[in-house]
Amino acid sequence: MSTSIDRYLAGPGLSESTRRAYAADLADFSGWLQRSGRTVTDVDVQALAEYTAELGRGSRGLAPSTIARRLAAVRSYMRFTLGAALVPEIALAPRRRRRLPDAPKLADVEAAIAAVGGDEPLSLRNSAILELTYSCGLRSAEVVGLHLADVDFDQEAVHVLGKGGKERVVPLGERAAHAVALYLRDGRPTLARGANDALFLSVRGRSLDTSTLRRLMQNPHRLRHAYATHLIEGGADLRTIQELLGHASLSTTQIYSHVDARRLRRVYDASHPRS
């Protein structure tokens, strides 16, 4: 079985991060098959149900999201090995618990940006990164993937290449525009080495990866949550926020309506005489 797993993992359809995760998932599945006296051709709905139950109980007690990913790896591998017609289609993964986004307050956002501030080139770069991430609601990969031509100061807009190669245009806020302009004038020329048109550069003049944002802020995705939450609290509609965030489906954006409902409940409880 290890040979067929190796062939599957070597295929071109997996990203490097998915390949690493699936390798661990399939090693676990292979071990379970051996312990239960089965081969991959013996796997049916009942076998997958037993495997799912083992993943979720006892000392293992994996989170629903981890179980879902593990089953996705197993099914993908089985389709590759046996063909789609022989792979059970019943959904066995437990439902993921809905989690409200953890959005920092505006004061927290401003404190995070102020913490990286300064007059040195890297400080100017870091301030511009966080300002732009929050101002435009960008994913980490979208921020580090920006090029110089993507920031249009005349139109006050940023051209973003999102997931799946989908492009969108988002408004550029005044404070973010100022931070980026300051970085371009006083920071980037010092960092630039040769012809690199990436907007944000490393100390060696190279393009950044997302680890830079994680060093600036433990969870930079919270800035994107803050962007969406503050927009909806300010009265923006979900369709507009969907377009600004680059969500393929409105259902992904709708979680922010629950954030707003939570805020409205606090206001109601604090002010209504019969709350």
Side-chain angles (χ1 to χ4, degrees):
M1 182 173 175
S2 61
T3 302
S4 61
I5 289 177
D6 291 341
R7 284 200 302 269
Y8 165 70
L9 293 174
L14 301 177
S15 68
E16 188 56 38
S17 59
T18 300
R19 186 175 288 109
R20 288 195 300 268
Y22 277 17
D25 293 336
L26 293 175
D28 180 85
F29 179 63
S30 178
W32 178 81
L33 286 178
Q34 292 177 10
R35 293 191 302 274
S36 62
R38 291 183 173 98
T39 67
V40 68
T41 56
D42 298 325
V43 176
D44 55 12
V45 171
Q46 180 61 35
L48 281 180
E50 292 177 15
Y51 181 56
T52 303
E54 178 179 305
L55 294 176
R57 68 171 174 247
S59 59
R60 304 192 74 176
L62 299 180
S65 58
T66 304
I67 296 176
R69 189 201 67 211
R70 189 152 295 181
L71 292 177
V74 168
R75 282 180 166 157
S76 180
Y77 160 71
M78 290 178 63
R79 284 193 295 268
F80 173 84
T81 305
L82 304 176
L86 297 179
V87 180
E89 291 297 332
I90 186 171
L92 295 171
R95 293 179 62 86
R96 300 185 187 188
R97 286 172 289 186
R98 191 179 186 92
R99 296 179 60 190
L100 294 177
D102 178 19
K105 297 178 181 178
L106 179 58
D108 297 328
V109 173
E110 292 177 340
I113 296 172
V116 302
D119 298 327
E120 298 298 317
L122 289 181
S123 297
L124 295 173
R125 182 203 69 184
N126 295 341
S127 294
I129 286 175
L130 294 188
E131 284 279 12
L132 199 61
T133 301
Y134 170 65
S135 174
C136 299
L138 303 183
R139 302 177 177 95
S140 295
E142 294 171 347
V143 178
V144 299
L146 289 173
H147 296 88
L148 290 169
D150 291 331
V151 180
D152 188 335
F153 290 100
D154 291 333
Q155 298 297 321
E156 298 180 339
V158 179
H159 297 260
V160 183
L161 184 63
K163 285 186 175 181
K166 295 180 180 178
E167 298 182 6
R168 69 184 189 276
V169 178
V170 296
L172 176 64
E174 183 176 339
R175 291 179 62 172
H178 175 73
V180 173
L182 198 60
Y183 157 70
L184 291 175
R185 188 191 71 186
D186 298 337
R188 192 180 185 281
T190 303
L191 301 174
R193 305 283 191 277
N196 188 336
D197 67 348
L199 176 60
F200 295 115
L201 300 176
S202 71
V203 70
R204 295 181 177 85
R206 300 172 183 169
S207 301
L208 302 179
D209 58 39
T210 55
S211 64
T212 301
L213 272 77
R214 292 193 296 273
R215 288 194 294 269
L216 298 181
M217 187 175 184
Q218 186 175 13
N219 185 359
H221 204 70
R222 294 180 72 225
L223 293 177
R224 182 169 158 89
H225 290 323
Y227 169 81
T229 302
H230 297 165
L231 280 177
I232 199 169
E233 289 181 349
D237 64 273
L238 285 175
R239 284 290 183 188
T240 300
I241 296 174
Q242 177 191 0
E243 293 181 11
L244 292 173
L245 291 175
H247 284 162
S249 170
L250 183 63
S251 62
T252 308
T253 316
Q254 282 175 334
I255 192 170
Y256 293 104
S257 66
H258 295 274
V259 175
D260 195 47
R262 186 172 56 185
R263 178 185 64 87
L264 291 175
R265 180 72 207 190
R266 288 199 302 267
V267 173
Y268 175 85
D269 288 342
S271 59
H272 197 285
R274 293 185 179 274
S275 63

